[in-house]
Amino acid sequence: VQLQASGGGLVQPGGSLRLSCLASGTFFGIGVMAWYRQAPGRQRELVATITGNNVPNYTDSVKGRFIISRVSTKDMVYLQMNGLKPEDTAVYYCKFRIFLTIETAQDYWGLGTQVTVSS
């Protein structure tokens, strides 16, 4: 199983980016999908999650600006980021809870995609 994250880049403050993360390989299904980020010199932090029932949750600093969504038929999750601020600059990672069988689950991480917000 592999996760491939993409969509990062350089954007001006107030701009938008959409990140995507796609799972490939052989597995039974996907549970919670999540986005994390890690800024230089800081710990990795949880940004947003979405359950298998499409229930989203966000850290306070991105509420009202970021939207997480999933496309189950494509084993993919998106993070629409609007109103970006310099403090959103970080490497963004996706994490999926992958069910390898109906009873066995394991977390998988993508390699990360850089988001830089700067004028």
Side-chain angles (χ1 to χ4, degrees):
V1 176
Q2 289 187 328
L3 302 188
Q4 180 65 48
S6 61
L10 173 64
V11 64
Q12 293 186 342
S16 297
L17 283 174
R18 189 177 78 161
L19 306 182
S20 62
C21 184
L22 173 67
S24 61
T26 302
F27 46 87
F28 179 77
I30 304 176
V32 174
M33 296 174 164
W35 287 98
Y36 288 72
R37 67 185 178 187
Q38 187 167 19
R42 302 189 67 176
Q43 288 188 335
R44 191 172 297 187
E45 67 168 343
L46 179 62
V47 175
T49 62
I50 187 164
T51 69
N53 293 326
N54 283 311
V55 177
N57 196 23
Y58 303 92
T59 191
D60 286 346
S61 62
V62 308
K63 284 180 180 177
R65 299 188 298 122
F66 290 10
I67 300 171
I68 188 170
S69 60
R70 64 189 288 165
V71 182
S72 296
T73 56
K74 295 184 177 180
D75 299 324
M76 178 176 283
V77 68
Y78 296 104
L79 186 68
Q80 178 67 41
M81 304 186 294
N82 302 317
L84 283 162
K85 305 175 181 180
E87 51 264 43
D88 295 317
T89 295
V91 178
Y92 284 70
Y93 299 89
C94 53
K95 186 182 80 171
F96 291 2
R97 175 63 61 92
I98 301 283
F99 284 87
L100 301 175
T101 69
I102 195 170
E103 296 179 338
T104 305
Q106 183 173 329
D107 288 338
Y108 288 84
W109 290 86
L111 290 180
T113 183
Q114 176 70 47
V115 172
T116 302
V117 185
S118 175
S119 56

